[in-house]
Amino acid sequence: MAAHLPYEYIYLRYKKKFPHVWCPGCGIGIVMGSIIRAVDTMNWDMNDILLVSGIGCTSRMPVYLDFNTLHTTHGRALAFGTGAKLANPALKVIAVMGDGDALAIGGNHLIHSARRNIEITTIIVNNNNYGMTGGQFSPTTPPGTFTATTPYGMMEPGFDICSLAQGAGAVYVARGTVYHVMELDKLIAGALEKPGFSVVEVLAPCPTNFGRANRLGDAVKMMESLRDGTITQVQAEKLPPEERVGKTVRGVFLDREDSEGYTARYARLCEQAAGGVSGK
Amino acid sequence: MSGVPWGETRLVQGNEAVALGALAAGIDFFAGYPITPSTEVAEILAREMPLTGGKWIQMEDEIASVSAIIGASLAGARVLTATSGPGFSLMQEGLGYACMTEVPIVIVNVMRAGPSTGLPTQVSQGDVMQARWGTHGDHPVIALAPCSVEECFNLSIRAFNLAESFRTPVILLPDEIIGHMRERFTFPKQDELQVLPLSEPNVPVEWYEHYHQTASGVSPMARFGRGYRFHVTGLTHDVHGFPTRRIDEVVPKMNRLKQKITRRLDDLEQNEIHGVDESSVVVFAYGSVFRSAMAARDILAKKKKKIGVFRPVTIWPFPDRTVKEKLDNKDVIVVCELNQGQLIHEVERLTSDSVRVVPMQRYDGYGITPEQIVSKVMEVS
Ligand SMILES: Cc1ncc(C[n+]2csc(CCOP(=O)(O)OP(=O)(O)O)c2C)c(N)n1
Ligand code: SF4
């Protein structure tokens, strides 16, 4: 039987933990598939991989994957992950979070993890709202759109996740969508290869909440919107500015080589300290 | 100075003794956020730990600090954070998570006067109930209250051992006076110490249950990255760690969390009792207040007045059995605390109406003096 299963099943706790909790048409499962395929290219031992998450629909992902898995508290995935990575730098730490998890309650941990350049691959599933609690607005809800807590339209501006990550010090920053899956596999693989703090924002539909509240159609329709509403960086360069309006750009925005990861730097600090180098 | 000065006699500060106790216990990982009056713990460890490859990190806040030590503990480290009231409030989220997921961590909360920012540099014992019930939901708690520099060192080590042996958070609760006082202290020799090794499962990987049911309620814990792949969640979980809502799994989990403490009370209980059996008047005190109680006892002895002194060292779980046995036949118990009345309710709960339980409280940021206790005792007996 198992011989006929796709290789992705090697990584799934498929005998124990399925069916999963996500709604039909939800984008999170596609992100999980991409993570599996990207990890598969790395030739890592599954025993060395730690998948850490916060709380939310996205953060339910760890239970389904046969790594070391840590489902923490809302917003804290990176703080738990920082502790685990520093305690055992051999661990390959991947954090998955929703947009509320990563940017609202966990925003402080996100910017400080980026600043430290702790070696964690961070994947943020941006579905423009709080899925798990029933579709309230999040820091990435587009102005004017409707959610359970913006009945008159969103009045706050949102965060641009990729700009925030770059500004805070991440060394690899990319954006993909669950429509462009093969591209997403590559973006995530690029992030996994990076020995520093990397961020991949993944645009994904939440048809149950955000989709319904804004009459965006069914899951298929929302996928088509990802196809039609996003462009690659190359396309963006070619388009005249007026045609770029309203399009979200996909691709790798930053890939720096000049910054040493936190645990590598810490190891050097210990050597210096043991060798008698001190500020005092 | 470098490392623990084994066997040497020194003038040592309470917070310093906590830090050196942690080093003696083999701490591998510290994460914290600066707050008075606990900063010395972090500062000493920042200097000492990198010398031997220990991991030390200052996080962006206390929520991150407690989260980081839980992550580190799961990844195989012996872990500590240190804080005070406002930071301890922020740590309640992680404290509950560690209780639920049964991850050994040690939190030092050097108590200062609250609520809120309160009196940042001044003493209090106002966090006793927060240590017990600060995080939401039913949960087990172990909290220890040292009364001297020597005890800061010894209880720091004990806190790590208890955390490991019970797979639960342990809170060390020195009050500010104890954290900041200096005393002469002779460090033990290294071979005099008992430090529990971190537990390791010895079953084949496919047999491993992260929350295996045992007689004591505690099972050896695997760590990330050593071949046992397991799931950890703050959701109520089954023996493997996976979320469950089945009543026949939820109830055993909740019962085990409680019973792993209640079944081993003898391993936890620690009291210091002076002349209680011979006296009809007893002063109940802990932390710095105990020192004043002992001084008051000497003053009163000179006045030919005999009192007993009862001090819980482990304040959570509260020593119910011993308090009932030793104090329920007294005329008067004076409960001295640096708060508006916290442990006094425990004493009242355990004693009959015939016993007069009298409060002696101070919450102005200063310690209770021996003279205050003397006059209170004279007043009520
Ligand atoms: C401290 C705390 N506050 C609030 C919640 C309730 N809560 C659970 S998930 C969630 C937001 C989820 O949204 P997001 O992070 O965007 O993830 P999604 O569900 O959309 O994947 C909230 C507010 C919580 N669990 N903990
Ligand atoms: S609520 Fe939205 S994000 Fe959550 S599972 Fe359903 S579709 Fe996905």
Side-chain angles (χ1 to χ4, degrees), chain A residues 21-28 57 127 129 131-132 205-209:
Chain A
V21 294
W22 299 311
C23 306
C26 177
I28 298 170
C57 295
N127 57 20
N129 76 154
M132 175 142 282
C206 169
T208 303
N209 291 309

Side-chain angles (χ1 to χ4, degrees), chain B residues 228-268:
Chain B
Y228 294 87
R229 294 196 299 275
F230 55 94
H231 185 65
V232 176
T233 176
L235 288 165
T236 306
H237 40 258
D238 62 19
V239 291
H240 296 282
F242 292 116
T244 183
R245 293 194 306 184
R246 283 176 50 162
I247 295 173
D248 62 348
E249 291 176 334
V250 171
V251 175
K253 165 80 195 189
M254 292 305 293
N255 285 346
R256 195 172 52 70
L257 274 188
K258 182 170 180 176
Q259 287 162 359
K260 70 178 181 179
I261 303 291
T262 55
R263 284 191 184 149
R264 286 173 62 197
L265 288 176
D266 289 344
D267 295 344
L268 288 167

Side-chain angles (χ1 to χ4, degrees), chain B residues 72-379:
Chain B
S73 181
L74 283 165
R78 207 183 287 266
V79 302
L80 175 75
T81 187
T83 190
S84 185
F88 193 48
S89 291
L90 291 187
M91 287 183 184
Q92 296 302 324
E93 173 186 309
L95 180 59
Y97 184 88
C99 290
M100 182 54 140
T101 54
E102 304 186 53
V103 176
I105 60 169
V106 178
I107 298 176
V108 181
N109 173 26
V110 187
M111 290 185 286
R112 70 189 223 183
S116 191
T117 311
L119 301 165
T121 59
Q122 287 178 264
V123 72
S124 156
Q125 293 173 324
D127 301 347
V128 166
M129 279 297 164
Q130 194 193 13
R132 178 65 196 91
W133 291 119
T135 196
H136 57 281
D138 289 320
H139 59 276
V141 155
I142 300 173
L144 316 174
C147 78
S148 65
V149 167
E150 177 180 2
E151 220 171 55
C152 282
F153 183 82
N154 290 334
L155 291 186
S156 173
I157 296 165
R158 180 166 160 79
F160 285 97
N161 284 341
L162 292 176
E164 191 54 39
S165 134
F166 285 81
R167 259 181 81 171
T168 201
V170 175
I171 301 159
L172 190 59
L173 274 182
D175 57 58
E176 183 275 340
I177 291 179
I178 298 303
H180 276 165
M181 71 187 292
R182 285 170 206 275
E183 287 186 297
R184 211 175 115 95
F185 171 50
T186 303
F187 288 84
K189 303 225 168 59
Q190 192 161 7
D191 54 16
E192 291 167 4
L193 278 192
Q194 273 208 342
V195 177
L196 279 186
L198 299 191
S199 69
E200 289 264 13
N202 56 6
V203 295
V205 167
E206 55 289 2
W207 292 4
Y208 178 67
E209 288 178 347
H210 192 59
Y211 304 97
H212 184 62
Q213 182 72 268
T214 62
S216 71
V218 181
S219 61
M221 183 176 112
R223 316 276 165 155
F224 291 146
R226 299 194 191 159
Y228 294 87
R229 294 196 299 275
F230 55 94
H231 185 65
V232 176
T233 176
L235 288 165
T236 306
H237 40 258
D238 62 19
V239 291
H240 296 282
F242 292 116
T244 183
R245 293 194 306 184
R246 283 176 50 162
I247 295 173
D248 62 348
E249 291 176 334
V250 171
V251 175
K253 165 80 195 189
M254 292 305 293
N255 285 346
R256 195 172 52 70
L257 274 188
K258 182 170 180 176
Q259 287 162 359
K260 70 178 181 179
I261 303 291
T262 55
R263 284 191 184 149
R264 286 173 62 197
L265 288 176
D266 289 344
D267 295 344
L268 288 167
E269 188 170 333
Q270 197 184 342
N271 305 301
E272 186 173 344
I273 300 174
H274 296 273
V276 163
D277 291 340
E278 307 87 74
S279 319
S280 60
V281 179
V282 172
V283 170
F284 179 100
Y286 51 98
S288 64
V289 184
F290 166 77
R291 306 172 72 97
S292 296
M294 290 303 284
R297 185 166 181 259
D298 291 344
I299 297 171
L300 287 164
K302 287 189 192 117
K303 299 186 181 174
K304 299 273 180 289
K305 173 121 193 128
K306 235 163 127 180
I307 61 162
V309 175
F310 187 106
R311 172 172 80 102
V313 178
T314 301
I315 57 176
W316 302 120
F318 196 74
D320 285 17
R321 226 175 9 191
T322 312
V323 166
K324 211 164 178 43
E325 184 187 305
K326 297 268 177 200
L327 302 186
D328 198 22
N329 54 356
K330 300 300 164 199
D331 293 343
V332 182
I333 303 168
V334 182
V335 180
C336 304
E337 296 184 272
L338 297 174
N339 55 46
Q340 294 182 330
Q342 298 200 12
L343 283 190
I344 189 170
H345 300 301
E346 301 299 306
V347 178
E348 281 169 342
R349 174 172 66 81
L350 294 161
T351 48
S352 321
D353 289 348
S354 57
V355 181
R356 263 183 81 197
V357 179
V358 179
M360 157 83 251
Q361 294 156 359
R362 198 163 174 177
Y363 34 87
D364 55 4
Y366 291 88
I368 292 177
T369 64
E371 293 71 26
Q372 284 177 307
I373 297 176
V374 168
S375 56
K376 192 69 175 182
V377 167
M378 299 305 278
E379 179 193 320

Side-chain angles (χ1 to χ4, degrees), chain A:
Chain A
M1 185 65 206
H4 304 293
L5 295 171
Y7 76 90
E8 281 94 334
Y9 278 63
I10 300 168
Y11 295 93
L12 293 175
R13 290 170 172 149
Y14 73 94
K15 283 188 189 151
K16 294 182 201 154
K17 292 297 138 199
F18 284 76
H20 57 67
V21 294
W22 299 311
C23 306
C26 177
I28 298 170
I30 301 174
V31 183
M32 182 160 80
S34 267
I35 292 175
I36 291 174
R37 288 184 294 276
V39 164
D40 193 65
T41 65
M42 300 298 293
N43 281 322
W44 287 342
D45 184 338
M46 280 156 75
N47 288 321
D48 293 338
I49 301 173
L50 170 61
L51 185 68
V52 59
S53 70
I55 296 285
C57 295
T58 306
S59 285
R60 282 298 189 99
M61 190 188 297
V63 91
Y64 305 117
L65 289 170
D66 194 10
F67 304 133
N68 302 284
T69 50
L70 180 56
H71 178 228
T72 70
T73 50
H74 192 25
R76 318 297 174 211
L78 290 171
F80 280 77
T82 296
K85 178 70 188 178
L86 180 55
N88 180 0
L91 288 172
K92 316 284 185 194
V93 182
I94 305 168
V96 282
M97 296 175 280
D99 41 283
D101 219 11
L103 297 157
I105 194 163
N108 203 22
H109 311 309
L110 179 74
I111 58 175
H112 286 278
S113 300
R115 176 181 62 79
R116 285 185 197 108
N117 195 20
I118 181 85
E119 298 93 327
I120 297 179
T121 306
T122 301
I123 295 161
I124 302 174
V125 177
N126 181 1
N127 57 20
N128 302 114
N129 76 154
Y130 288 180
M132 175 142 282
T133 38
Q136 298 81 9
F137 80 81
S138 84
T140 59
T141 299
T145 58
F146 299 100
T147 70
T149 48
T150 52
Y152 307 109
M154 174 69 169
M155 56 162 281
E156 300 177 14
F159 269 137
D160 175 333
I161 298 178
C162 291
S163 306
L164 181 71
Q166 290 182 64
V171 292
Y172 177 97
V173 178
R175 181 186 291 123
T177 86
V178 293
Y179 180 85
H180 306 90
V181 177
M182 280 149 75
E183 179 187 279
L184 183 61
D185 291 1
K186 291 205 189 89
L187 296 178
I188 295 177
L192 293 174
E193 279 161 17
K194 210 72 202 161
F197 190 73
S198 55
V199 175
V200 181
E201 173 188 1
V202 188
L203 305 182
C206 169
T208 303
N209 291 309
F210 193 75
R212 208 177 279 168
N214 292 283
R215 300 179 195 275
L216 299 177
D218 60 11
V220 175
K221 192 93 202 359
M222 290 184 80
M223 290 292 270
E224 286 167 358
S225 307
L226 289 176
R227 178 192 63 198
D228 301 336
T230 62
I231 48 176
T232 62
Q233 286 162 298
V234 179
Q235 288 169 327
E237 273 166 31
K238 288 188 189 147
L239 276 187
E242 61 280 8
E243 284 181 47
R244 242 186 284 162
V245 174
K247 305 269 186 201
T248 307
V249 181
R250 310 189 309 271
V252 178
F253 303 109
L254 182 73
D255 190 350
R256 274 168 58 190
E257 301 291 340
D258 57 339
S259 172
E260 194 178 19
Y262 185 88
T263 65
R265 229 178 313 134
Y266 190 88
R268 278 199 299 112
L269 176 123
C270 288
E271 278 169 30
Q272 285 167 8
V277 181
S278 153
K280 286 185 194 166

